[in-house]
Each structure stands twice: as C-alpha cells, then as structure tokens.
C-alpha cells in the first residue's frame, strides 16, 4: 500500500507549491503535493508563461511589420491565430513536463485530487473530474493523508463583478483570451492592471481595435504616476483607446458581439465590440478546503498569515496568492522557501514586500520596485528623484526603442534607494539590478561607482542615479 504519512503536505502545485516542495525536499523533509488540475498552476498553464509566449509572437509580428524602419523588407506578413495559440500551449506543455521531472528528481510524492483539511495534520483527498487535468499516471489518488505541517498554496482565480460575468464566448477571462483560435477585430478590456494591459497590448499589436476602461483615474494603478502616464501615451500612440475614471455599467450581448455602456465624467456612451475581457483582479481560492472548520482565520478573501506564513492554527501555513497581495508568482515562491526554512529552524529573513519587483510585459514594458514618488511623499520622506530617458541612451536608439524612462527615488538624508520605476524596452530584465541594490542596502555612492557595460540600456539606470544628485552625464 502507498505511504500516506509525510512531514509536509502542500496543497497546490503552482509556482509557490512546487518550489516549496523542492526546497522542503532539499532540507530532508518527506514531502507530498496535492494538485487537482495541472502541474505548474495558473502561472505555468493560464497566466505568466502562456501570456509571455503570446506577447513574444506579438513582438516578432510588430518588428516584421516595421521592417522598413530597420532597412529591411518583409512582404505578406500575416497572423495565424491557431499557430500562435498552439506555440503558446506547446511552451506550457514543456514546462509541465519539467515540473513533473523536478518532483521525481527530488523524490516529491504527487497526489492527484482535491484536498480538504479535516484537522491539523490530517487531510482527505477526493477525485476531481476536470478535462484540464494533466497529472502523471503514477500520481497517488483519493484517500486520507497525514503530515505534521500542511501548507496551503491554492492560488487565485479571476474576480467576477455583477454584470461582467464571463460566459466563455462573448465575455472572456484570461483563460478564454489565451485559447482564442480566432482573434477578435475589436475588443473591450475592463481593468488596466497587469493582466488587462498585457492582453490589450497583445490584441492591439495583432490588429484589434482595443478600448481599455479603468475605474480609477490612473491606468496601471499600482505604478508610479509618471511612469503610468508615459505608458498611456505610448498605448494611445499605438491606437489604443484609454478611458480612465470610467466604468462599464451594462453589457448587451448580441449573437456575435457585445454592446457596452460606459459611464465617464457623468455621461454614458456606448460602443460595440466583438469580445470583452474582464480583467478586474483575482480572488484567493479559500473555499472547500475546510479552513473555517479547523479555525483558520480568513480576512478579505485571503488567509491571514504571519511573517513566516503561519496561520492562526498551529501546523497550517499559507503562501502565495491565497495568502494575500501582491499576487505574484515570484512572491509565492519566495514565501514558500521562507516558510519551509522556518519550519526547519533555519531562521530565514522574513520577506520584505517593498522589495518585491512588479513587471508588466506589454509594449513598452513596465517594471518597478519599492516606493513610488507619491508614496514616499505620503510618508513625509525627504527625497531625491532622478530620471533618465531612453532617448539619451545609444543602445536604445540603435535598437529603435528610444521611448522610455528610468526613475529612481532616494532618501536625501541617508542615500537609501527607496524605489525604482521603469518604462521601456526590456525593463523587466533590468529591474532586478535595483532589487539587488535594495537588498544589499546599497547607497547612491555605491551605485554611482558601479561600472555599467557600454553600450547597454542598463546604462540608463546609472544615469538616473547620477541625475538624482545633479551629476547626469549624457543628458
């Protein structure tokens, strides 16, 4: 008979769950992971990874249609929606196989099904019938299992609002938007966070007429206002229609289109589009886990945890989206590592949420870490702000990507780097330089004495630091 006793059982095989399992196994724990649908979770299957594959296709298409800007010619450039989606799904399948391999390599036991916590240390797994299941055939199945430590890593799902309920045909969630074999000619995106803007950018590049509606006065609401403003101008230059401070009050579904009523500045206007994407955030998967029954405290739809991911019940922990914002895969992974290292008694540093980078992979890209300028002012901090535009960078100009900005915020008294914000080509790859600097408690003096290679776009980072102290060289 299969062994049902473990040191740690993790519920959920998303990026948080599977990374936590691997680290726990490295630390010598006997580990099992319960997953009801697919290895890699939403991130690998219907989120981070497939969207980046789609956006890469859009990027290549953009360059092909602008070949003349680079002294080249590309004739009869066309989009094959089915092939674009198929490539994206192929990337997903490759990564799913990789997660399964890592489980076997690290001797992590996989249990297929839906878990319920009956009591601290005890769970029941029942069969879960879903056409999306991609479990290895040798995974364990339904039954009762025990572990001293149970970690909930069940992730999140798309939030729905009254009147914007998705139907899979006319009103989409990101699940539907990732699997459309026929691309719409017109699209309404409700919500301008990372998910909404990425899909708006993808479909606009592929030729759709795109309208984005955001209830707040600023698109990309969590970003620095100056950076969001630059991004908005670039989106509008690409032909995207942005309606901020607006809300969708009604959707009238037709046979193959939707008439949307939008209220902005106290006035109502109507547009008709082929499809609508509801991108109004996500909500934690806290239901049907038995959490309330065993006394785990839930606040505002997420599990309340301490700095080491402990819940209100000893022996039960929570990480990732289900444990609250920011709802990011890399936050889930790091939380999981902190959690199991604390269980092992290694005394890890608690995660500092101000040092978690955020990235949006639209065109142009947006990346940030730490305090925005307004947040620093709200804290009554005495700050220095530095800026450097891409138009002053040789590599950006050579690449034809001279529209962008790097912005840095320092504490005037101590030289501490409080925040960094970027918009432009490949900034999602650059932001980690500032994340490392913040973790090392680097000051402006050390950054100014760091040698950046030339020619690279990364030189904008140093120039922005120099600008904060009146020493900018190339502008």
């Amino acid at each position: 008979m299969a062994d049902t006793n473990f040191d740690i059982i993790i519920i959920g095989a998303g990026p948080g769950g599977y990374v936590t399992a691997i680290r726990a196994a490295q630390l010598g724990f006997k580990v099992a992971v319960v997953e009801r649908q697919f290895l890699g979770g939403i991130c690998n299957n219907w989120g981070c990874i497939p969207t980046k594959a789609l956006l890469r296709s859009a990027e290549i298409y953009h360059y092909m249609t602008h070949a003349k800007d680079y002294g080249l010619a590309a004739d009869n450039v066309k989009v094959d929606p089915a092939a674009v989606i198929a490539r994206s799904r192929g990337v997903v399948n490759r990564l799913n196989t990789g997660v399964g391999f890592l489980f076997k390599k690290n001797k992590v036991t996989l249990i297929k099904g839906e878990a319920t916590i009956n009591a601290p240390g005890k769970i029941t797994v029942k069969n879960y019938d879903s056409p999306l299941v991609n479990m290895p055939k040798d995974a364990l199945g339904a039954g009762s299992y025990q572990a001293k430590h149970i970690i909930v890593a069940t992730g999140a799902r798309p939030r729905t609002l009254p009147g914007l309920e998705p139907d899979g045909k006319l009103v989409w969630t990101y699940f539907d938007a990732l699997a459309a074999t026929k691309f719409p000619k017109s699209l309404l995106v409700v919500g301008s966070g990372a998910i909404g803007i990425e899909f708006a950018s993808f479909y606009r590049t592929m030729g759709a007429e795109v309208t984005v509606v955001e209830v707040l006065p600023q698109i990309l609401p969590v970003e620095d206002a100056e950076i969001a403003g630059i991004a908005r101008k670039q989106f509008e230059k690409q032909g995207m229609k942005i309606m901020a401070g607006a809300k969708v009050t009604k959707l009238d579904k037709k046979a193959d289109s939707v008439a949307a009523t939008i209220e902005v500045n106290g006035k109502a206007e109507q547009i008709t589009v082929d499809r609508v994407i509801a991108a109004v955030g996500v909500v934690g998967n806290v239901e049907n886990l038995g959490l309330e029954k065993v006394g785990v405290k839930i606040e505002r739809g997420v599990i309340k945890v301490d700095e080491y991911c402990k819940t209100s019940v000893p022996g039960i922990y929570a990480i990732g989206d289900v444990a609250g914002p920011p709802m990011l895969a890399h936050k889930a992974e790091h939380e999981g590592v902190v959690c199991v290292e604390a269980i092992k008694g290694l005394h890890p540093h608690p995660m500092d949420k101000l040092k978690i980078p955020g990235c949006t992979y639209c065109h142009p890209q947006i990346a940030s870490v730490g305090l925005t300028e307004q947040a620093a002012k709200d804290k009554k901090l005495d700050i220095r702000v530095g800026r450097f535009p891409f138009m002053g960078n040789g590599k950006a100009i050579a690449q034809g990507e001279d529209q962008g900005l790097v912005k840095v915020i320092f504490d005037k008294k101590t030289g501490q780097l409080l925040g960094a914000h970027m918009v432009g080509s490949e900034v999602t790859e650059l932001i980690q330089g500032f994340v490392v600097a913040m973790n090392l408690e680097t000051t402006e003096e050390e950054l100014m004495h760091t040698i950046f290679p030339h020619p690279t776009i990364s030189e904008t980072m140093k120039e922005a630091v120099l600008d904060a102290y009146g020493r900018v060289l190339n502008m």
Side-chain angles (χ1 to χ4, degrees):
M1 293 184 63
D3 194 348
T4 62
N5 290 284
F6 299 89
D7 298 318
I8 296 175
I9 290 177
I10 300 160
I11 304 175
Y18 86 75
V19 167
T20 303
I22 292 168
R23 182 62 183 133
Q26 290 174 344
L27 292 171
F29 290 113
K30 183 180 177 184
V31 186
V33 176
V34 185
E35 175 54 53
R36 67 182 186 180
Q37 282 187 292
F38 28 61
L39 299 181
I42 294 298
C43 175
N44 274 12
N45 291 271
W46 299 98
C48 315
I49 300 303
T51 55
K52 303 313 161 283
L54 293 183
L55 286 160
R56 178 61 170 169
S57 293
E59 182 182 29
I60 298 299
Y61 179 67
H62 167 78
Y63 285 127
M64 292 175 72
T65 56
H66 289 78
K68 64 180 181 180
D69 296 341
Y70 299 88
L72 306 172
D75 299 325
N76 301 316
V77 179
K78 297 179 181 179
V79 175
D80 182 342
V84 170
I85 297 297
R87 176 183 179 274
S88 173
R89 302 320 300 170
V91 171
V92 166
N93 292 335
R94 179 177 173 181
L95 285 170
N96 283 338
T97 301
V99 174
F101 167 78
L102 289 171
F103 278 176
K104 290 183 184 301
K105 175 186 175 183
N106 290 281
K107 297 180 173 56
V108 173
T109 300
L110 181 61
I111 304 170
K112 174 183 174 181
E114 187 171 43
T116 302
I117 301 173
N118 303 315
K122 297 181 180 180
I123 70 166
T124 297
V125 177
K126 64 180 181 179
N127 292 326
Y128 186 80
D129 186 20
S130 169
L132 299 176
V133 167
N134 63 355
M135 293 291 132
K137 292 181 180 179
D138 59 351
L140 300 183
S144 297
Y145 298 88
Q146 299 80 40
K148 185 177 180 181
H149 308 281
I150 297 171
I151 301 174
V152 180
T154 48
R157 63 185 183 278
R159 184 185 301 276
T160 59
L161 296 179
L164 288 176
E165 295 89 353
D167 59 16
K169 179 185 177 183
L170 298 172
V171 182
W172 292 348
T173 65
Y174 53 77
F175 285 84
D176 308 303
L178 281 165
T181 53
K182 180 181 178 182
F183 292 167
K185 294 182 179 179
S186 57
L187 177 71
L188 169 63
V189 179
V190 185
S192 72
I195 294 173
I197 287 296
E198 287 185 2
F199 278 116
S201 185
F202 170 75
Y203 279 107
R204 179 64 197 128
T205 303
M206 291 303 192
E209 294 297 323
V210 175
T211 300
V212 177
V213 173
E214 170 58 55
V215 69
L216 297 174
Q218 174 187 312
I219 67 165
L220 297 160
V222 302
E223 300 296 341
D224 183 87
E226 184 177 4
I227 297 296
I230 293 171
R232 175 172 179 166
K233 289 179 181 177
Q234 290 300 306
F235 298 151
E236 291 174 332
K237 187 177 179 180
Q238 295 164 14
M240 201 182 295
K241 184 177 181 181
I242 307 288
M243 302 176 71
K247 61 180 179 179
V248 177
T249 58
K250 183 180 180 183
L251 295 179
D252 186 10
K253 299 179 183 179
K254 310 295 183 183
D256 198 32
S257 64
V258 182
T261 302
I262 303 167
E263 184 180 304
V264 57
N265 296 325
K267 297 180 180 179
E269 60 178 88
Q270 192 176 83
I271 64 170
T272 299
V273 295
D274 292 341
R275 298 294 182 267
V276 176
I277 295 179
V280 290
V282 296
V283 58
N285 292 319
V286 298
E287 301 86 1
N288 304 316
L289 288 165
L291 297 172
E292 296 90 344
K293 181 180 177 181
V294 297
V296 172
K297 191 172 183 180
I298 298 172
E299 289 184 355
R300 299 181 180 180
V302 295
I303 300 171
K304 185 174 175 59
V305 297
D306 71 3
E307 58 188 355
Y308 295 110
C309 305
K310 297 178 182 178
T311 71
S312 55
V313 176
I316 301 178
Y317 312 77
I319 65 165
D321 291 359
V322 78
M327 294 179 172
L328 301 167
H330 44 284
K331 174 255 193 183
E333 293 176 2
H334 192 78
E335 269 186 324
V337 170
V338 169
C339 180
V340 294
E341 289 185 353
I343 291 172
K344 187 68 174 179
L346 299 183
H347 307 292
H349 291 292
M351 184 179 62
D352 184 347
K353 290 187 177 182
L354 277 178
K355 295 175 183 173
I356 301 174
C359 298
T360 305
Y361 299 81
C362 46
H363 183 241
Q365 294 180 3
I366 295 123
S368 60
V369 63
L371 297 177
T372 64
E373 182 177 2
Q374 187 58 53
K377 289 177 178 178
D378 290 344
K379 289 178 175 289
K380 308 298 183 184
L381 296 175
D382 193 10
I383 60 174
R384 287 181 179 269
V385 179
R387 300 171 179 84
F388 194 81
F390 277 32
M391 66 178 62
N393 177 265
K395 180 69 177 295
I397 295 170
Q399 290 189 167
E401 298 285 357
D402 64 349
Q403 297 301 302
L405 180 76
V406 173
K407 178 177 180 178
V408 289
I409 300 159
F410 288 92
D411 186 299
K412 187 179 289 187
K413 296 178 182 178
T414 66
Q416 179 186 0
L417 178 61
L418 300 173
H421 309 274
M422 305 175 172
V423 56
S425 175
E426 295 304 322
V427 296
T428 58
E429 298 290 344
L430 298 180
I431 192 64
Q432 194 60 22
F434 283 133
V435 178
V436 171
M438 291 177 71
N439 271 282
L440 295 176
E441 299 181 352
T442 304
T443 67
E444 89 291 348
E445 189 73 18
E446 291 157 326
L447 284 168
M448 287 191 284
H449 281 88
T450 298
I451 300 172
F452 286 72
H454 174 80
T456 62
I457 296 178
S458 70
E459 291 174 280
T460 60
M461 300 166 65
K462 181 173 181 176
E463 291 278 13
V465 175
L466 290 171
D467 182 61
Y469 289 83
R471 294 173 55 179
V472 66
L473 296 171
N474 284 287
M475 185 60 62

